[in-house]
Amino acid sequence: MDAIEIKHNDQISNIFVEKSLERLGSLLPSSNIIVLIDENVNRLYGNLFSQFKLISIRSGEPEKTLDTVAGIYGQLIELEADRHTFILGVGGGIVCDMAGFIASTYMRGLRFGFIPTTLMAQADASIGGKNGVNFHRFKNMIGTINQPEFVLADVRFLSTLPLRELNAGFAEIIKYGLISDKSILDDFDLNINQYLKVDTDELAKLIFKCASIKANIVNMDAREQGLRKILNFGHTIGHAIERISSDHNHGEGVSMGMVAAMKISQVKGDISIAETDRVCSLLLKLYLPVSIGRQLFPGIIESLRADKKRNQQFIDYIILKRLGTAEIIQMTFAELSALLLNMKL
């Protein structure tokens, strides 16, 4: 597969899929490289990076904080990182987010690249230049938009990915089918068993489709002034669920958020009940939740007021006009809350 390019501020970020790790040597400087690596990935694959200085990062959303970042700044100082140091982030979306943020802010900016090791990171999270951390449990409240020099999405890492994390990645992939390319939904109808068995050749095709869609969108709207907002489909409510419930990871929150958004799209767009049912059935086959417990609703509605897409009493919300086509609409918090409370979710 050819490289996928994101062009921003006269710089090019190259995204490589398939068995791409062999390219690493040609993309890195000859020296002064520090790897920020997920602790679990380090345990499984640390030998692949033993020639570099390593900083291990603990797994989990609670680690994605300014306190963690401050500790890593301290380790960079101890390792004598300077303005010529290259930061390589190796891990899932959390590590890539933090590595990009740290590289963008340490000494006012270092070169950096990513090796995403989860399905979610390979298909979505490592692409597009958004880097950040959570603040007081609010998702990605503090961050930068700065593109990595490269993303190496080597599908071989997926062979050791826990099933729950694999399924979480499928939620983001389904999102791309809903907002941009309906053929992705058809791919699942044909190949779902191969995907669940981690057929890396088939998964590589799926990842390439998603990465290409995201790159095209980012090339048109790098700073999320318009079109890029459609990538938030399912995330408004999904992030709220993540914030108030430790029982659900990002992909599971997005899964429930997408079902809610589809039901809102039945009111605000042209989505049918049958289309919503089709997507719910697919998500369930991927072991993803489609129902939101009523006990979560008060917390969800309160959390919406801290969403980054808020504009005073309004929020940009993403609906589907039809399968494969998304639209950005503005709703008041009161209207969105009323729609949620009146739905069977």
Side-chain angles (χ1 to χ4, degrees):
M1 296 179 185
D2 296 332
I4 301 165
E5 290 187 350
I6 292 177
K7 299 177 181 178
H8 183 61
N9 292 340
D10 298 322
Q11 294 181 326
I12 294 178
S13 177
N14 285 304
I15 303 154
F16 301 94
V17 186
E18 294 186 296
K19 297 174 182 178
S20 55
L21 196 61
E22 282 80 0
R23 297 178 182 270
L24 183 60
S26 65
L27 296 170
L28 290 173
S30 59
S31 62
N32 211 355
I33 300 155
I34 296 178
V35 177
L36 308 186
I37 187 168
D38 177 277
E39 62 177 0
N40 292 321
V41 177
N42 191 24
R43 188 179 68 253
L44 293 168
Y45 298 105
N47 61 300
L48 298 176
F49 308 99
S50 58
Q51 70 271 41
F52 306 121
K53 298 174 183 177
L54 297 182
I55 295 176
S56 181
I57 299 176
R58 284 187 294 181
S59 302
E61 197 74 22
E63 300 300 322
K64 191 178 169 185
T65 67
L66 286 173
D67 286 341
T68 301
V69 168
I72 295 170
Y73 287 148
Q75 292 181 72
L76 289 173
I77 291 170
E78 291 176 4
L79 292 172
E80 299 183 341
D82 57 32
R83 289 181 176 175
H84 301 286
T85 297
F86 189 99
I87 299 295
L88 180 63
V90 182
I94 291 170
V95 168
C96 291
D97 268 2
M98 288 199 292
F101 179 73
I102 288 163
S104 298
T105 53
Y106 183 84
M107 290 192 172
R108 297 179 180 168
L110 306 179
R111 297 170 61 195
F112 67 101
F114 295 146
I115 299 177
T117 59
T118 66
L119 181 59
M120 183 179 296
Q122 292 186 1
D124 181 76
S126 68
I127 299 165
K130 282 187 177 182
N131 317 287
V133 295
N134 305 333
F135 186 70
H136 290 175
R137 296 186 67 199
F138 293 104
K139 287 279 293 183
N140 302 322
M141 190 61 75
I142 299 171
T144 65
I145 296 179
N146 191 20
Q147 301 295 339
E149 292 189 9
F150 60 81
V151 176
L152 298 181
D154 193 312
V155 293
R156 290 172 293 186
F157 286 111
L158 303 180
S159 64
T160 52
L161 193 66
L163 179 61
R164 188 180 180 195
E165 293 302 319
L166 183 76
N167 295 337
F170 285 134
E172 288 285 3
I173 290 173
I174 294 297
K175 177 193 76 177
Y176 284 101
L178 294 174
I179 66 171
S180 182
D181 185 354
K182 180 177 173 290
S183 74
I184 291 174
L185 304 180
D186 300 329
D187 290 340
F188 274 92
D189 291 337
L190 293 172
N191 301 313
I192 189 168
N193 290 331
Q194 289 97 310
Y195 297 155
L196 288 170
K197 291 177 182 176
V198 195
D199 182 323
T200 53
D201 290 336
E202 291 300 324
L203 284 174
K205 297 173 189 176
L206 203 56
I207 291 165
F208 189 86
K209 274 190 179 183
C210 296
S212 298
I213 292 168
K214 187 166 188 179
N216 287 336
I217 291 171
V218 172
N219 279 329
M220 289 185 278
D221 179 23
R223 302 199 66 83
E224 200 172 295
Q225 300 302 302
L227 177 65
R228 186 169 179 171
K229 293 178 182 180
I230 69 171
L231 296 172
N232 293 315
F233 180 75
H235 285 60
T236 299
I237 292 169
H239 281 168
I241 292 170
E242 273 189 276
R243 177 177 178 252
I244 64 174
S245 173
S246 59
D247 294 333
H248 301 292
N249 63 28
H250 178 71
E252 292 161 352
V254 168
S255 177
M256 291 183 279
M258 290 193 298
V259 173
M262 290 200 70
K263 291 188 176 182
I264 290 172
S265 298
Q266 292 172 201
V267 178
K268 293 286 190 176
D270 296 315
I271 293 299
S272 68
I273 294 174
E275 288 170 323
T276 300
D277 288 345
R278 176 193 176 187
V279 173
C280 286
S281 176
L282 175 55
L283 292 169
L284 287 170
K285 289 176 183 176
L286 297 166
Y287 307 100
L288 290 163
V290 297
S291 299
I292 303 172
R294 301 298 296 185
Q295 75 278 6
L296 297 179
F297 274 64
I300 290 172
I301 291 169
E302 179 62 28
S303 293
L304 293 178
R305 295 189 175 276
D307 192 280
K308 298 186 298 299
K309 298 175 289 300
R310 174 180 177 172
N311 181 6
Q312 296 186 2
Q313 295 305 308
F314 293 87
I315 190 166
D316 288 330
Y317 194 77
I318 316 305
I319 63 166
L320 301 182
K321 290 298 292 180
R322 53 188 172 273
L323 293 183
T325 304
E327 181 182 22
I328 307 160
I329 63 172
Q330 265 205 345
M331 282 198 287
T332 64
F333 288 105
E335 181 183 14
L336 179 55
S337 299
L339 284 168
L340 289 173
L341 289 170
N342 289 325
M343 286 180 180
K344 291 183 179 180
L345 292 168

